[in-house]
Amino acid sequence: MKNDLLLRALRREEVSRPPVWMMRQAGRYLPEYQELRKKYDFFTRVQTPELACEITLQPIDIVGPDAAIIFSDILVIPQAMGMTVLMEEGKGPLLPATIRDERDILKLTTDVNSSLNYVFDALRLTRKTLDGRVPLIGFAGAPFTLLCYMVEGKGSKGFEKAKTFCFTRPELAAQLLQKITDATIVYLKEQVNAGAQVIQVFDSWSGMLAPADFDRFASPYLLQIADAVHSSAPVILFPKGSSYALDSLSAHPSVSGIGLDWTVKPQTARAVTQNRVALQGNYDPIKLMQPVDNIQQEVHQMIRDFGTTGYIVNLGHGILPHIPVDHARAFIDAVKNFKS
Amino acid sequence: MKNDLLLRALRREEVSRPPVWMMRQAGRYLPEYQELRKKYDFFTRVQTPELACEITLQPIDIVGPDAAIIFSDILVIPQAMGMTVLMEEGKGPLLPATIRDERDILKLTTDVNSSLNYVFDALRLTRKTLDGRVPLIGFAGAPFTLLCYMVEGKGSKGFEKAKTFCFTRPELAAQLLQKITDATIVYLKEQVNAGAQVIQVFDSWSGMLAPADFDRFASPYLLQIADAVHSSAPVILFPKGSSYALDSLSAHPSVSGIGLDWTVKPQTARAVTQNRVALQGNYDPIKLMQPVDNIQQEVHQMIRDFGTTGYIVNLGHGILPHIPVDHARAFIDAVKNFKS
């Protein structure tokens, strides 16, 4: 491993500078990705290991982060569980047959790995091609976030249908969340077998839950996953918008890192988590539209605010399609030229 | 004043039970409002004092909250400043000519009151018709939230255009925010002259800002408004999603109350604000889909968690159109039958 900064940051070892990567770093802001996007539809890109590998490596070559994250999608799990998932370019996902009752839940399978070989093949190929340049991150969607899509059927501002399902049929919700959790655990363990060295779990919609509801519908399943996976690879949880959960999640020994969105003050996050976990984040991706000098200055300040130990520089959410590549590179370079 | 619970809660006086009202309580969940909606378009409803008064009073008669809030819209200010604002039923606002540069800002007027007489007439009529049953709340959108619409031109998931404007042209953004602030202050003072007894300022989109950016683009203008208005009427600020700002806003003596969305734990909000302000909120509106027994139980727990002094029961966001009226009433009744 030529660059193990990410692994060391997750162990909270001292480092010369923190590692940096960007959520959605393999994505639409890269012209090289746009070229592949013209030629191959979304699921072809995801399901062809050579393409997924190529896309995963693009940002490593072009902007130079300290970690690669396998190109895939959180909705491969609902798909592997038996649901139809359609993806229209630029329009987001559509699940035409949503989960409405127990019968729908019983139809889902947790035996997902047999249909997800393309992910494991992509991980093996990418790990081999990376040849130790940087660590390889595998990932999955968190059970609550996947429930949101499986019940709502599509992206939504408030996921009212999904939340109503949870609040009015909590036993059914628990049954569905447990089934997603079981499938996710076997999936993530196999990702590690195939070469993933770190696992991130994206709870993109947990922030729509009140703290007490997070404790019912999100946290128990996140922690089951961390408990099951952490002996194989360090686990980063990213409960977007749920800064209220920092204390309880960081107290859990199987959680190595927590991702933060940009609404959390670094100093507050450190105080609450008491150096029990590494923290990752949390630059507002829209701020990458600023002049590169401002970006560098703010990134340096962010590193000083978080401290260099147990810290992974990242955005607070995925990089946006219209960010100039030079600005993405300026973000990465600012970390690389940081002097404490 | 037959029911002054809201005013006493804002002064943090002891009360037998906390007051309760609901954001968007005059709205689409009421069949009586839907009837008027069929007959009159949005701006007719807003700009006809008799209709605005009737709509404002509907929830007082039907579900019985402890305050009335004048039926209007935050976008009357951009409109009165000279912008075209279109409202398509069920589709949200559209501002076809957005603010792009200094010339657009210079064209805006801060002399807004002459074109907003319909609001003041509606307040006078409503205050008179209420005849002291409950206090009357006036309101405005916060400058940052109005900037979002004026620059973006419509509702948006991330208001990327508006935020990019702020981050890349901060001096222009400050100029626009100050102009909105000036207009809002004269508008709110006249609302109080016309009968508003409490003022709420809605910063619906401030939660999209990182704490340091909130301190630049939201907080100074919110506090200018509070400073200018509080000697006429108590001011409640509702910076949705900005729980990181609770400490600094509550430390400001001209702020009487702070509204909370449902992601804030009552105990945390109390600890941070140290009884310097009244707190208002913060029940997740989607939870009103639960059986009424659950609603009552959770509302009682929420009151115990916040404490009865300096507390105004409310939702954490506007009530949703599909909430059954009985469930809205159960929310109100739960507060009325609360025994400490």
Side-chain angles (χ1 to χ4, degrees), chain B residues 217-249:
Chain B
F217 300 110
S219 181
Y221 308 98
L222 283 170
L223 295 177
Q224 275 188 54
I225 293 171
D227 285 348
V229 176
H230 84 286
S231 61
S232 314
V235 175
I236 303 170
L237 303 179
F238 180 43
K240 183 165 190 285
S242 298
S243 59
Y244 50 74
L246 279 172
D247 185 19
S248 65
L249 294 177

PDB file of all heavy atoms in Angstrom, chain B residues 217-249:
ATOM      1  N   PHE B 217     -24.650  35.179   5.837  1.00  0.00           N
ATOM      2  CA  PHE B 217     -25.754  35.445   4.903  1.00  0.00           C
ATOM      3  C   PHE B 217     -27.148  35.402   5.541  1.00  0.00           C
ATOM      4  O   PHE B 217     -28.113  35.805   4.911  1.00  0.00           O
ATOM      5  CB  PHE B 217     -25.700  34.454   3.734  1.00  0.00           C
ATOM      6  CG  PHE B 217     -24.427  34.541   2.945  1.00  0.00           C
ATOM      7  CD1 PHE B 217     -23.481  33.525   2.995  1.00  0.00           C
ATOM      8  CD2 PHE B 217     -24.155  35.669   2.171  1.00  0.00           C
ATOM      9  CE1 PHE B 217     -22.291  33.617   2.269  1.00  0.00           C
ATOM     10  CE2 PHE B 217     -22.979  35.765   1.438  1.00  0.00           C
ATOM     11  CZ  PHE B 217     -22.036  34.736   1.492  1.00  0.00           C
ATOM     12  N   ALA B 218     -27.262  34.907   6.739  1.00  0.00           N
ATOM     13  CA  ALA B 218     -28.595  34.813   7.356  1.00  0.00           C
ATOM     14  C   ALA B 218     -28.682  35.600   8.662  1.00  0.00           C
ATOM     15  O   ALA B 218     -29.476  36.534   8.796  1.00  0.00           O
ATOM     16  CB  ALA B 218     -28.970  33.342   7.581  1.00  0.00           C
ATOM     17  N   SER B 219     -27.840  35.241   9.607  1.00  0.00           N
ATOM     18  CA  SER B 219     -27.968  35.773  10.957  1.00  0.00           C
ATOM     19  C   SER B 219     -27.990  37.309  11.054  1.00  0.00           C
ATOM     20  O   SER B 219     -28.865  37.869  11.719  1.00  0.00           O
ATOM     21  CB  SER B 219     -26.842  35.198  11.814  1.00  0.00           C
ATOM     22  OG  SER B 219     -26.933  35.661  13.116  1.00  0.00           O
ATOM     23  N   PRO B 220     -27.061  38.036  10.396  1.00  0.00           N
ATOM     24  CA  PRO B 220     -27.049  39.497  10.605  1.00  0.00           C
ATOM     25  C   PRO B 220     -28.379  40.149  10.215  1.00  0.00           C
ATOM     26  O   PRO B 220     -28.795  41.124  10.859  1.00  0.00           O
ATOM     27  CB  PRO B 220     -25.927  39.983   9.669  1.00  0.00           C
ATOM     28  CG  PRO B 220     -25.119  38.776   9.330  1.00  0.00           C
ATOM     29  CD  PRO B 220     -26.012  37.591   9.464  1.00  0.00           C
ATOM     30  N   TYR B 221     -29.016  39.622   9.200  1.00  0.00           N
ATOM     31  CA  TYR B 221     -30.253  40.222   8.703  1.00  0.00           C
ATOM     32  C   TYR B 221     -31.439  39.834   9.582  1.00  0.00           C
ATOM     33  O   TYR B 221     -32.311  40.652   9.872  1.00  0.00           O
ATOM     34  CB  TYR B 221     -30.443  39.835   7.234  1.00  0.00           C
ATOM     35  CG  TYR B 221     -29.174  40.172   6.447  1.00  0.00           C
ATOM     36  CD1 TYR B 221     -28.216  39.195   6.165  1.00  0.00           C
ATOM     37  CD2 TYR B 221     -28.900  41.483   6.088  1.00  0.00           C
ATOM     38  CE1 TYR B 221     -27.029  39.512   5.510  1.00  0.00           C
ATOM     39  CE2 TYR B 221     -27.713  41.817   5.429  1.00  0.00           C
ATOM     40  CZ  TYR B 221     -26.784  40.825   5.145  1.00  0.00           C
ATOM     41  OH  TYR B 221     -25.609  41.153   4.512  1.00  0.00           O
ATOM     42  N   LEU B 222     -31.459  38.580  10.043  1.00  0.00           N
ATOM     43  CA  LEU B 222     -32.481  38.168  11.008  1.00  0.00           C
ATOM     44  C   LEU B 222     -32.425  39.054  12.250  1.00  0.00           C
ATOM     45  O   LEU B 222     -33.453  39.510  12.758  1.00  0.00           O
ATOM     46  CB  LEU B 222     -32.244  36.708  11.432  1.00  0.00           C
ATOM     47  CG  LEU B 222     -32.652  35.604  10.465  1.00  0.00           C
ATOM     48  CD1 LEU B 222     -32.123  34.261  10.945  1.00  0.00           C
ATOM     49  CD2 LEU B 222     -34.173  35.559  10.326  1.00  0.00           C
ATOM     50  N   LEU B 223     -31.213  39.328  12.709  1.00  0.00           N
ATOM     51  CA  LEU B 223     -31.072  40.090  13.957  1.00  0.00           C
ATOM     52  C   LEU B 223     -31.384  41.571  13.752  1.00  0.00           C
ATOM     53  O   LEU B 223     -31.942  42.209  14.647  1.00  0.00           O
ATOM     54  CB  LEU B 223     -29.668  39.886  14.544  1.00  0.00           C
ATOM     55  CG  LEU B 223     -29.395  38.435  14.987  1.00  0.00           C
ATOM     56  CD1 LEU B 223     -27.970  38.279  15.496  1.00  0.00           C
ATOM     57  CD2 LEU B 223     -30.403  37.987  16.059  1.00  0.00           C
ATOM     58  N   GLN B 224     -31.051  42.110  12.590  1.00  0.00           N
ATOM     59  CA  GLN B 224     -31.473  43.485  12.295  1.00  0.00           C
ATOM     60  C   GLN B 224     -32.983  43.611  12.377  1.00  0.00           C
ATOM     61  O   GLN B 224     -33.516  44.595  12.894  1.00  0.00           O
ATOM     62  CB  GLN B 224     -31.060  43.878  10.861  1.00  0.00           C
ATOM     63  CG  GLN B 224     -29.653  44.402  10.691  1.00  0.00           C
ATOM     64  CD  GLN B 224     -29.465  44.940   9.265  1.00  0.00           C
ATOM     65  OE1 GLN B 224     -30.239  45.783   8.800  1.00  0.00           O
ATOM     66  NE2 GLN B 224     -28.450  44.452   8.576  1.00  0.00           N
ATOM     67  N   ILE B 225     -33.677  42.614  11.831  1.00  0.00           N
ATOM     68  CA  ILE B 225     -35.145  42.646  11.842  1.00  0.00           C
ATOM     69  C   ILE B 225     -35.658  42.556  13.274  1.00  0.00           C
ATOM     70  O   ILE B 225     -36.519  43.335  13.700  1.00  0.00           O
ATOM     71  CB  ILE B 225     -35.712  41.506  10.967  1.00  0.00           C
ATOM     72  CG1 ILE B 225     -35.376  41.767   9.487  1.00  0.00           C
ATOM     73  CG2 ILE B 225     -37.222  41.364  11.161  1.00  0.00           C
ATOM     74  CD1 ILE B 225     -35.689  40.616   8.548  1.00  0.00           C
ATOM     75  N   ALA B 226     -35.112  41.626  14.031  1.00  0.00           N
ATOM     76  CA  ALA B 226     -35.538  41.484  15.425  1.00  0.00           C
ATOM     77  C   ALA B 226     -35.283  42.776  16.197  1.00  0.00           C
ATOM     78  O   ALA B 226     -36.139  43.249  16.943  1.00  0.00           O
ATOM     79  CB  ALA B 226     -34.815  40.302  16.078  1.00  0.00           C
ATOM     80  N   ASP B 227     -34.109  43.373  15.981  1.00  0.00           N
ATOM     81  CA  ASP B 227     -33.770  44.624  16.679  1.00  0.00           C
ATOM     82  C   ASP B 227     -34.762  45.734  16.348  1.00  0.00           C
ATOM     83  O   ASP B 227     -35.139  46.529  17.199  1.00  0.00           O
ATOM     84  CB  ASP B 227     -32.358  45.094  16.287  1.00  0.00           C
ATOM     85  CG  ASP B 227     -31.273  44.258  16.956  1.00  0.00           C
ATOM     86  OD1 ASP B 227     -31.605  43.481  17.877  1.00  0.00           O
ATOM     87  OD2 ASP B 227     -30.093  44.383  16.546  1.00  0.00           O
ATOM     88  N   ALA B 228     -35.176  45.787  15.082  1.00  0.00           N
ATOM     89  CA  ALA B 228     -36.041  46.884  14.647  1.00  0.00           C
ATOM     90  C   ALA B 228     -37.489  46.683  15.069  1.00  0.00           C
ATOM     91  O   ALA B 228     -38.225  47.656  15.224  1.00  0.00           O
ATOM     92  CB  ALA B 228     -35.959  47.031  13.128  1.00  0.00           C
ATOM     93  N   VAL B 229     -37.895  45.457  15.266  1.00  0.00           N
ATOM     94  CA  VAL B 229     -39.326  45.172  15.466  1.00  0.00           C
ATOM     95  C   VAL B 229     -39.678  44.884  16.922  1.00  0.00           C
ATOM     96  O   VAL B 229     -40.804  45.115  17.359  1.00  0.00           O
ATOM     97  CB  VAL B 229     -39.761  43.992  14.554  1.00  0.00           C
ATOM     98  CG1 VAL B 229     -41.203  43.587  14.800  1.00  0.00           C
ATOM     99  CG2 VAL B 229     -39.560  44.354  13.076  1.00  0.00           C
ATOM    100  N   HIS B 230     -38.714  44.407  17.716  1.00  0.00           N
ATOM    101  CA  HIS B 230     -39.085  43.832  19.019  1.00  0.00           C
ATOM    102  C   HIS B 230     -39.713  44.841  19.986  1.00  0.00           C
ATOM    103  O   HIS B 230     -40.456  44.442  20.884  1.00  0.00           O
ATOM    104  CB  HIS B 230     -37.882  43.151  19.680  1.00  0.00           C
ATOM    105  CG  HIS B 230     -36.994  44.073  20.446  1.00  0.00           C
ATOM    106  ND1 HIS B 230     -36.135  44.952  19.830  1.00  0.00           N
ATOM    107  CD2 HIS B 230     -36.866  44.285  21.785  1.00  0.00           C
ATOM    108  CE1 HIS B 230     -35.489  45.641  20.750  1.00  0.00           C
ATOM    109  NE2 HIS B 230     -35.906  45.264  21.929  1.00  0.00           N
ATOM    110  N   SER B 231     -39.449  46.135  19.802  1.00  0.00           N
ATOM    111  CA  SER B 231     -40.082  47.087  20.723  1.00  0.00           C
ATOM    112  C   SER B 231     -41.568  47.255  20.395  1.00  0.00           C
ATOM    113  O   SER B 231     -42.347  47.709  21.229  1.00  0.00           O
ATOM    114  CB  SER B 231     -39.362  48.442  20.678  1.00  0.00           C
ATOM    115  OG  SER B 231     -39.442  48.961  19.363  1.00  0.00           O
ATOM    116  N   SER B 232     -41.970  46.861  19.198  1.00  0.00           N
ATOM    117  CA  SER B 232     -43.384  46.923  18.819  1.00  0.00           C
ATOM    118  C   SER B 232     -44.112  45.615  19.115  1.00  0.00           C
ATOM    119  O   SER B 232     -45.264  45.618  19.550  1.00  0.00           O
ATOM    120  CB  SER B 232     -43.520  47.220  17.321  1.00  0.00           C
ATOM    121  OG  SER B 232     -42.664  48.263  16.918  1.00  0.00           O
ATOM    122  N   ALA B 233     -43.465  44.499  18.867  1.00  0.00           N
ATOM    123  CA  ALA B 233     -44.102  43.189  19.092  1.00  0.00           C
ATOM    124  C   ALA B 233     -43.010  42.145  19.284  1.00  0.00           C
ATOM    125  O   ALA B 233     -41.920  42.265  18.715  1.00  0.00           O
ATOM    126  CB  ALA B 233     -44.977  42.809  17.890  1.00  0.00           C
ATOM    127  N   PRO B 234     -43.295  41.098  20.069  1.00  0.00           N
ATOM    128  CA  PRO B 234     -42.289  40.041  20.234  1.00  0.00           C
ATOM    129  C   PRO B 234     -42.021  39.327  18.904  1.00  0.00           C
ATOM    130  O   PRO B 234     -42.931  39.151  18.102  1.00  0.00           O
ATOM    131  CB  PRO B 234     -42.913  39.084  21.248  1.00  0.00           C
ATOM    132  CG  PRO B 234     -44.367  39.431  21.313  1.00  0.00           C
ATOM    133  CD  PRO B 234     -44.508  40.850  20.863  1.00  0.00           C
ATOM    134  N   VAL B 235     -40.763  38.957  18.708  1.00  0.00           N
ATOM    135  CA  VAL B 235     -40.333  38.373  17.434  1.00  0.00           C
ATOM    136  C   VAL B 235     -39.901  36.918  17.650  1.00  0.00           C
ATOM    137  O   VAL B 235     -39.086  36.621  18.526  1.00  0.00           O
ATOM    138  CB  VAL B 235     -39.164  39.181  16.832  1.00  0.00           C
ATOM    139  CG1 VAL B 235     -38.634  38.498  15.572  1.00  0.00           C
ATOM    140  CG2 VAL B 235     -39.600  40.612  16.532  1.00  0.00           C
ATOM    141  N   ILE B 236     -40.488  36.037  16.829  1.00  0.00           N
ATOM    142  CA  ILE B 236     -40.076  34.628  16.795  1.00  0.00           C
ATOM    143  C   ILE B 236     -39.292  34.403  15.503  1.00  0.00           C
ATOM    144  O   ILE B 236     -39.774  34.726  14.420  1.00  0.00           O
ATOM    145  CB  ILE B 236     -41.305  33.683  16.791  1.00  0.00           C
ATOM    146  CG1 ILE B 236     -42.198  33.941  18.001  1.00  0.00           C
ATOM    147  CG2 ILE B 236     -40.857  32.220  16.725  1.00  0.00           C
ATOM    148  CD1 ILE B 236     -43.553  33.206  17.933  1.00  0.00           C
ATOM    149  N   LEU B 237     -38.090  33.867  15.608  1.00  0.00           N
ATOM    150  CA  LEU B 237     -37.308  33.499  14.420  1.00  0.00           C
ATOM    151  C   LEU B 237     -37.432  31.994  14.200  1.00  0.00           C
ATOM    152  O   LEU B 237     -37.368  31.218  15.152  1.00  0.00           O
ATOM    153  CB  LEU B 237     -35.833  33.867  14.611  1.00  0.00           C
ATOM    154  CG  LEU B 237     -35.515  35.330  14.927  1.00  0.00           C
ATOM    155  CD1 LEU B 237     -33.999  35.510  15.106  1.00  0.00           C
ATOM    156  CD2 LEU B 237     -36.042  36.263  13.850  1.00  0.00           C
ATOM    157  N   PHE B 238     -37.602  31.617  12.943  1.00  0.00           N
ATOM    158  CA  PHE B 238     -37.668  30.176  12.630  1.00  0.00           C
ATOM    159  C   PHE B 238     -36.639  29.844  11.556  1.00  0.00           C
ATOM    160  O   PHE B 238     -36.948  29.809  10.363  1.00  0.00           O
ATOM    161  CB  PHE B 238     -39.076  29.798  12.171  1.00  0.00           C
ATOM    162  CG  PHE B 238     -39.229  28.324  11.829  1.00  0.00           C
ATOM    163  CD1 PHE B 238     -38.671  27.348  12.643  1.00  0.00           C
ATOM    164  CD2 PHE B 238     -39.927  27.923  10.703  1.00  0.00           C
ATOM    165  CE1 PHE B 238     -38.799  25.994  12.327  1.00  0.00           C
ATOM    166  CE2 PHE B 238     -40.061  26.567  10.385  1.00  0.00           C
ATOM    167  CZ  PHE B 238     -39.494  25.606  11.197  1.00  0.00           C
ATOM    168  N   PRO B 239     -35.402  29.611  11.986  1.00  0.00           N
ATOM    169  CA  PRO B 239     -34.344  29.258  11.031  1.00  0.00           C
ATOM    170  C   PRO B 239     -34.317  27.747  10.839  1.00  0.00           C
ATOM    171  O   PRO B 239     -33.544  27.039  11.479  1.00  0.00           O
ATOM    172  CB  PRO B 239     -33.079  29.761  11.732  1.00  0.00           C
ATOM    173  CG  PRO B 239     -33.386  29.612  13.198  1.00  0.00           C
ATOM    174  CD  PRO B 239     -34.891  29.664  13.366  1.00  0.00           C
ATOM    175  N   LYS B 240     -35.170  27.268   9.918  1.00  0.00           N
ATOM    176  CA  LYS B 240     -35.358  25.813   9.774  1.00  0.00           C
ATOM    177  C   LYS B 240     -34.045  25.123   9.385  1.00  0.00           C
ATOM    178  O   LYS B 240     -33.381  25.548   8.445  1.00  0.00           O
ATOM    179  CB  LYS B 240     -36.433  25.534   8.720  1.00  0.00           C
ATOM    180  CG  LYS B 240     -36.736  24.061   8.580  1.00  0.00           C
ATOM    181  CD  LYS B 240     -38.024  23.791   7.830  1.00  0.00           C
ATOM    182  CE  LYS B 240     -38.388  22.327   7.929  1.00  0.00           C
ATOM    183  NZ  LYS B 240     -37.554  21.463   7.074  1.00  0.00           N
ATOM    184  N   GLY B 241     -33.705  24.100  10.122  1.00  0.00           N
ATOM    185  CA  GLY B 241     -32.511  23.326   9.818  1.00  0.00           C
ATOM    186  C   GLY B 241     -31.222  23.914  10.365  1.00  0.00           C
ATOM    187  O   GLY B 241     -30.154  23.347  10.183  1.00  0.00           O
ATOM    188  N   SER B 242     -31.324  25.056  11.034  1.00  0.00           N
ATOM    189  CA  SER B 242     -30.111  25.724  11.537  1.00  0.00           C
ATOM    190  C   SER B 242     -30.001  25.601  13.049  1.00  0.00           C
ATOM    191  O   SER B 242     -29.787  26.591  13.750  1.00  0.00           O
ATOM    192  CB  SER B 242     -30.110  27.195  11.128  1.00  0.00           C
ATOM    193  OG  SER B 242     -30.086  27.328   9.723  1.00  0.00           O
ATOM    194  N   SER B 243     -30.104  24.389  13.561  1.00  0.00           N
ATOM    195  CA  SER B 243     -30.043  24.237  15.015  1.00  0.00           C
ATOM    196  C   SER B 243     -28.681  24.675  15.553  1.00  0.00           C
ATOM    197  O   SER B 243     -28.553  25.035  16.717  1.00  0.00           O
ATOM    198  CB  SER B 243     -30.349  22.797  15.419  1.00  0.00           C
ATOM    199  OG  SER B 243     -29.421  21.912  14.830  1.00  0.00           O
ATOM    200  N   TYR B 244     -27.676  24.679  14.670  1.00  0.00           N
ATOM    201  CA  TYR B 244     -26.347  25.152  15.089  1.00  0.00           C
ATOM    202  C   TYR B 244     -26.365  26.614  15.522  1.00  0.00           C
ATOM    203  O   TYR B 244     -25.443  27.090  16.163  1.00  0.00           O
ATOM    204  CB  TYR B 244     -25.322  24.960  13.963  1.00  0.00           C
ATOM    205  CG  TYR B 244     -25.779  25.509  12.623  1.00  0.00           C
ATOM    206  CD1 TYR B 244     -25.808  26.875  12.381  1.00  0.00           C
ATOM    207  CD2 TYR B 244     -26.215  24.660  11.609  1.00  0.00           C
ATOM    208  CE1 TYR B 244     -26.245  27.380  11.164  1.00  0.00           C
ATOM    209  CE2 TYR B 244     -26.653  25.149  10.386  1.00  0.00           C
ATOM    210  CZ  TYR B 244     -26.665  26.513  10.177  1.00  0.00           C
ATOM    211  OH  TYR B 244     -27.108  27.027   8.985  1.00  0.00           O
ATOM    212  N   ALA B 245     -27.427  27.357  15.156  1.00  0.00           N
ATOM    213  CA  ALA B 245     -27.476  28.794  15.461  1.00  0.00           C
ATOM    214  C   ALA B 245     -28.260  29.107  16.729  1.00  0.00           C
ATOM    215  O   ALA B 245     -28.408  30.275  17.102  1.00  0.00           O
ATOM    216  CB  ALA B 245     -28.091  29.547  14.280  1.00  0.00           C
ATOM    217  N   LEU B 246     -28.757  28.071  17.405  1.00  0.00           N
ATOM    218  CA  LEU B 246     -29.607  28.306  18.580  1.00  0.00           C
ATOM    219  C   LEU B 246     -28.898  29.120  19.649  1.00  0.00           C
ATOM    220  O   LEU B 246     -29.494  30.012  20.264  1.00  0.00           O
ATOM    221  CB  LEU B 246     -30.037  26.964  19.185  1.00  0.00           C
ATOM    222  CG  LEU B 246     -31.207  26.269  18.496  1.00  0.00           C
ATOM    223  CD1 LEU B 246     -31.407  24.877  19.075  1.00  0.00           C
ATOM    224  CD2 LEU B 246     -32.470  27.123  18.678  1.00  0.00           C
ATOM    225  N   ASP B 247     -27.639  28.828  19.875  1.00  0.00           N
ATOM    226  CA  ASP B 247     -26.908  29.526  20.928  1.00  0.00           C
ATOM    227  C   ASP B 247     -26.795  31.014  20.608  1.00  0.00           C
ATOM    228  O   ASP B 247     -27.201  31.872  21.404  1.00  0.00           O
ATOM    229  CB  ASP B 247     -25.522  28.893  21.097  1.00  0.00           C
ATOM    230  CG  ASP B 247     -24.749  29.497  22.260  1.00  0.00           C
ATOM    231  OD1 ASP B 247     -25.387  30.120  23.128  1.00  0.00           O
ATOM    232  OD2 ASP B 247     -23.507  29.350  22.281  1.00  0.00           O
ATOM    233  N   SER B 248     -26.278  31.338  19.430  1.00  0.00           N
ATOM    234  CA  SER B 248     -26.026  32.751  19.114  1.00  0.00           C
ATOM    235  C   SER B 248     -27.329  33.535  18.970  1.00  0.00           C
ATOM    236  O   SER B 248     -27.426  34.674  19.446  1.00  0.00           O
ATOM    237  CB  SER B 248     -25.177  32.870  17.845  1.00  0.00           C
ATOM    238  OG  SER B 248     -25.879  32.379  16.732  1.00  0.00           O
ATOM    239  N   LEU B 249     -28.340  32.959  18.357  1.00  0.00           N
ATOM    240  CA  LEU B 249     -29.599  33.709  18.193  1.00  0.00           C
ATOM    241  C   LEU B 249     -30.280  33.938  19.543  1.00  0.00           C
ATOM    242  O   LEU B 249     -30.823  35.018  19.795  1.00  0.00           O
ATOM    243  CB  LEU B 249     -30.554  32.968  17.249  1.00  0.00           C
ATOM    244  CG  LEU B 249     -30.131  32.841  15.776  1.00  0.00           C
ATOM    245  CD1 LEU B 249     -31.164  32.021  14.998  1.00  0.00           C
ATOM    246  CD2 LEU B 249     -29.952  34.219  15.124  1.00  0.00           C
TER     247      LEU B 249
END
